[in-house]
Amino acid sequence: MNFASIAFFAFFITVYGLYWALSRPWQNRLLLVASYIFYGAWDWKFLGLIGLSTILDFFLGKQMYAASDPKRRKSLLLVSLIINLGMLGVFKYFNFFAGSLVSLLTPLGLQPGWPLLNIVLPVGISFYTFQTLSYTIDIYRRKLAPTDKLEDFALFVSFFPQLVAGPIERASHFLPQLMSSRRLTFEQMSRGSFLILLGLFKKVAIADGLAQSVNAIYNVSAAGTVGTLDIILATYLFAIQVYCDFSGYSDIARGLAKLLGFDLMVNFDTPYFAVNPSDFWRRWHISLSTWLRDYLYIPLGGNRKDERTTYRNLILTMALGGLWHGAAWNFVYWGLYQGGILCVHRWVAGAKPSIRPAVTLTDKIRRACMIVGFFQITCYGWLLFRASSWSQIVAFSDRLFFHPTWSTPTIPTPSLAALAGIVLVLVVDLAHYLSGTSVFYRIWPIYRRAALYAALLVVLLMGLSNTGNTFIYFQF
């Protein structure tokens, strides 16, 4: 079920009506059943996978916490890592690595005969795998005590608002909420409703409205025939599309959770106002970037040793983070690119780069120039992310940097809703950035708040004419 669908609206209203009529234990049981129905609506056959991961990590966590022998605790953690990452590897990466190896060996005259797997990627497997692994790793580190109730842990893993595309929640943040009573407040209702409206506006009006224009350039078979302006425009539009698509999902997920009495972590914080790559990763997909930091970068050694080792850790972490996004080489290139610019920034800015507050007019102009400049660097990364092949990356890069052709753009004009939405989302994000809070609108006069709500709703309704698309991050 897609959030932006009548089917999901009917599903949520039904669950919501029953939810607040029940006590906490039965609320959790209702949400657990609803979450499995929600996930099973994509493909019921994959319910076994999420069930296996849940049961496995629940009992491994309890045994790990009770074990006093460090070797036994490490062995139990390895079982969790091997089985969870093994399932992720088989379903998501087996065909990718097998096919890549065939492509590598064929020019050498070798013809491996192993078959590829005819399987469908389970929706959201990357998200819930990382979520369950954070639980067992935190128990192993003695940072978390396991829950005694399987149904609470199962709901932590499968909570439907964030199951398919995050945020990737930590057990230390979310499990206590599941195990305590909750009540709906006016603040939760108003904030949750605004987040749902904002998320649907981003997805339906902007992301779906830009998809056709972006696809018209990035889906061409003869990449060498595409003009420079078309590449630039399509890449800028994709930067907006992927941001509105993914942050829109996160907004809706957080809004739905608030209506149910829960608080999910913030996943985006005006990322296109970042001034450098380190700042960007503090603002973009925060639940993933902090997961990679805590469970990969720091265990590798982080920046505790020499600079050369730190650069290696940055590159490896971001390359694996890129691969997490999908089983394709362009995601690996994107991850390597992100790791590379992080290393360059660290080398230029020093070991502890800081962002000075912009106080004077000169500081503000400098900050604005840094934002605009880094956005160009970010957008080239999105070219790598969106490209359909290495040959397209080479052809588009050649058009941009070595052999530009300034012919009249042929890219289809986005829908009116998307164009209006881009202006409006820029206003919203700018107000968020300048105020330093996502609830900037609460200090506005009532007439200005009403105008904002009306504008979001009107553009959302305009966007209903756009061709609907699944959320981009569903494939990850």
Side-chain angles (χ1 to χ4, degrees):
M1 279 181 281
N2 193 319
F3 281 169
S5 68
I6 298 297
F8 178 79
F9 177 77
F11 165 80
F12 183 74
I13 290 297
T14 302
V15 172
Y16 195 68
L18 295 172
Y19 177 79
W20 287 110
L22 301 172
S23 60
R24 186 198 66 80
W26 286 102
Q27 285 179 330
N28 284 8
R29 290 163 190 153
L30 171 66
L31 289 180
L32 179 59
V33 172
S35 296
Y36 271 69
I37 291 173
F38 174 81
Y39 193 69
W42 300 100
D43 193 328
W44 64 269
K45 293 189 293 293
F46 293 129
L47 288 173
L49 285 178
I50 193 171
L52 174 62
S53 181
T54 298
I55 294 172
L56 171 78
D57 286 327
F58 175 76
F59 287 105
L60 285 176
K62 290 176 71 68
Q63 293 182 45
M64 201 182 308
Y65 189 76
S68 57
D69 183 1
K71 291 184 178 180
R72 174 166 171 75
R73 290 174 51 243
K74 183 175 289 187
S75 298
L76 292 169
L77 177 62
L78 284 175
V79 171
S80 174
L81 291 171
I82 290 171
I83 295 180
N84 281 289
L85 294 178
M87 289 192 297
L88 182 62
V90 169
F91 281 91
K92 188 169 182 176
Y93 298 110
F94 179 84
N95 285 349
F96 167 66
F97 285 114
S100 297
L101 189 56
V102 168
S103 299
L104 182 65
L105 295 178
T106 299
L108 301 177
L110 301 175
Q111 296 290 336
W114 56 69
L116 298 181
L117 300 178
N118 185 23
I119 54 177
V120 177
L121 176 66
V123 175
I125 188 172
S126 297
F127 289 90
Y128 72 70
T129 297
F130 271 28
Q131 190 152 306
T132 59
L133 284 179
S134 71
Y135 175 79
T136 53
I137 294 172
D138 282 351
I139 292 175
Y140 171 77
R141 293 174 174 176
R142 299 298 195 194
K143 292 183 177 180
L144 180 72
T147 178
D148 291 327
K149 293 187 176 181
L150 177 59
E151 62 188 44
D152 287 343
F153 179 69
L155 181 56
F156 160 72
V157 177
S158 64
F159 185 56
F160 72 85
Q162 50 84 227
L163 170 62
V164 178
I168 304 169
E169 280 293 330
R170 304 289 180 91
S172 58
H173 175 247
F174 196 46
L175 267 177
Q177 297 183 60
L178 293 175
M179 294 186 292
S180 60
S181 298
R182 69 220 44 132
R183 62 188 183 88
L184 186 62
T185 65
F186 177 77
E187 189 278 334
Q188 287 174 314
M189 285 192 65
S190 61
R191 180 62 177 155
S193 299
F194 178 80
L195 284 170
I196 294 170
L197 173 61
L198 180 63
L200 288 173
F201 153 77
K202 288 178 178 178
K203 168 59 178 171
V204 175
I206 303 178
D208 287 349
L210 296 179
Q212 181 181 3
S213 301
V214 174
N215 293 342
I217 302 303
Y218 274 95
N219 288 356
V220 296
S221 55
T225 64
V226 181
T228 302
L229 286 177
D230 276 330
I231 297 171
I232 292 173
L233 291 173
T235 303
Y236 282 156
L237 292 180
F238 178 69
I240 299 169
Q241 179 196 6
V242 71
Y243 167 61
C244 289
D245 194 281
F246 194 18
S247 70
Y249 182 97
S250 294
D251 289 338
I252 299 169
R254 292 183 62 228
L256 294 171
K258 283 189 178 295
L259 293 183
L260 294 168
F262 301 105
D263 180 37
L264 299 182
M265 72 176 294
V266 175
N267 212 20
F268 290 87
D269 182 10
T270 59
Y272 290 151
F273 287 90
V275 297
N276 58 55
S278 180
D279 189 27
F280 178 79
W281 283 104
R282 285 191 290 266
R283 298 171 177 273
W284 178 275
H285 202 347
I286 300 168
S287 64
L288 175 64
S289 62
T290 53
W291 198 101
L292 293 173
R293 179 197 66 199
D294 295 342
Y295 301 110
L296 185 57
Y297 176 69
I298 292 176
L300 285 172
N303 58 1
R304 296 191 298 272
K305 297 182 180 180
D306 57 272
E307 285 297 290
R308 184 176 179 179
T309 304
T310 299
Y311 295 149
R312 181 207 66 186
N313 294 341
L314 283 171
I315 292 289
L316 183 58
T317 298
M318 297 312 298
L320 292 174
L323 188 60
W324 174 90
H325 282 79
W329 282 109
N330 64 299
F331 297 120
V332 178
Y333 304 144
W334 177 74
L336 291 171
Y337 175 79
Q338 294 295 332
I341 61 177
L342 281 168
C343 290
V344 170
H345 172 65
R346 182 180 176 85
W347 178 66
V348 172
K352 294 182 178 180
S354 60
I355 302 174
R356 296 183 302 173
V359 178
T360 67
L361 178 60
T362 301
D363 289 339
K364 293 177 180 178
I365 293 173
R366 183 186 297 114
R367 173 71 62 82
C369 291
M370 293 173 68
I371 290 171
V372 173
F374 183 69
F375 181 68
Q376 313 312 309
I377 296 173
T378 301
C379 282
Y380 183 72
W382 289 132
L383 184 153
L384 303 176
F385 189 95
R386 179 60 179 82
S388 55
S389 65
W390 172 249
S391 60
Q392 187 177 78
I393 292 174
V394 171
F396 281 12
S397 299
D398 179 67
R399 276 284 185 263
L400 289 174
F401 302 116
F402 303 108
H403 300 97
T405 56
W406 303 107
S407 55
T408 303
T410 61
I411 186 171
T413 302
S415 68
L416 179 60
L419 295 175
I422 290 172
V423 175
L424 187 52
V425 81
L426 177 60
V427 170
V428 170
D429 276 16
L430 182 61
H432 177 178
Y433 177 75
L434 293 176
S435 67
T437 175
S438 61
V439 292
F440 60 89
Y441 55 92
R442 289 183 179 172
I443 62 174
W444 285 4
I446 185 64
Y447 69 88
R448 190 183 297 178
R449 273 182 283 157
L452 173 62
Y453 303 151
L456 291 172
L457 183 58
V458 168
V459 178
L460 167 60
L461 293 175
M462 291 170 57
L464 293 177
S465 61
N466 294 330
T467 301
N469 294 276
T470 58
F471 286 89
I472 292 174
Y473 268 65
F474 279 10
Q475 62 185 295
F476 307 141

